[in-house]
Amino acid sequence: ANKEATATAAQKALDNLVAEKLAAEKAAAEKAEAERLAKIEANRVALVAKAKAAGLTDAQATAYAAANKEATATAAQKALDNLVAEKLAAEKAAAEKAEAERLAKIEANRVALVAKAKAAGLTDAQATAYAAANKEATATAAQKALDNLVAEKLAAEKAAAEKAEAERLAKIE
């Protein structure tokens, strides 16, 4: 088309063709990049949903998805599996710690109840039995039980003393 044109006109036509080609390549590259970024964003959204479904918190799911949005499906799944395992291990450790603390509190209460019962005049066996029975009771319930035991002990001692006195008096007559 440009074999009879002037050199300047031919150069201008060539420059226009090159510019059009560069513009088309740039537009194609921009379109490809936009599609790539859209695919990454869609993957990130899907990973957030999958992580939440696996039990992660919103913050954990968001961080996981951001870190794995460009990873392979296998790598992202492995990362999710690791996070879920870590979360379960942390929850188990927290539950075990809470249970250990609960049991330690119960044992400390049992020891305190033994001492309180002995101070109230119960025998070692009575104090141990009382403490074992009331180690998980409220303070009020444990005190009521101790008061009842002490009252029973005093009543038994009074009855024994009265019986002994009656027997002593009967021997005198």
Side-chain angles (χ1 to χ4, degrees):
N2 287 299
K3 60 185 177 182
E4 293 181 22
T6 64
T8 305
Q11 186 60 48
K12 185 173 183 183
L14 178 61
D15 290 346
N16 287 342
L17 288 173
V18 170
E20 287 173 13
K21 182 180 182 212
L22 289 176
E25 288 174 353
K26 181 180 178 190
E30 288 173 352
K31 181 182 176 190
E33 180 63 6
E35 289 172 355
R36 185 185 75 80
L37 293 176
K39 195 174 191 181
I40 290 170
E41 178 58 14
N43 190 45
R44 185 196 67 76
V45 170
L47 290 176
V48 167
K50 189 172 186 179
K52 285 182 182 179
L56 298 185
T57 65
D58 287 353
Q60 290 170 324
T62 300
Y64 155 76
N68 290 282
K69 64 186 178 188
E70 295 185 62
T72 64
T74 304
Q77 185 61 48
K78 184 174 181 181
L80 179 58
D81 292 345
N82 288 342
L83 285 173
V84 169
E86 289 171 12
K87 182 177 188 247
L88 291 175
E91 289 171 351
K92 181 180 178 189
E96 288 172 350
K97 180 182 178 193
E99 180 62 6
E101 289 171 355
R102 185 185 76 79
L103 293 175
K105 201 178 219 182
I106 290 170
E107 178 57 15
N109 191 44
R110 187 195 66 76
V111 169
L113 291 176
V114 167
K116 189 173 185 179
K118 286 182 181 178
L122 298 185
T123 65
D124 286 354
Q126 290 170 323
T128 300
Y130 154 76
N134 290 284
K135 65 186 177 187
E136 295 187 63
T138 65
T140 305
Q143 185 61 51
K144 185 174 180 182
L146 179 58
D147 292 345
N148 289 342
L149 286 172
V150 169
E152 289 170 10
K153 182 177 186 254
L154 291 176
E157 289 173 351
K158 182 180 178 187
E162 288 172 353
K163 181 181 177 188
E165 181 64 13
E167 288 174 357
R168 186 184 68 78
L169 292 175
K171 287 183 183 177
I172 294 174
E173 292 180 3

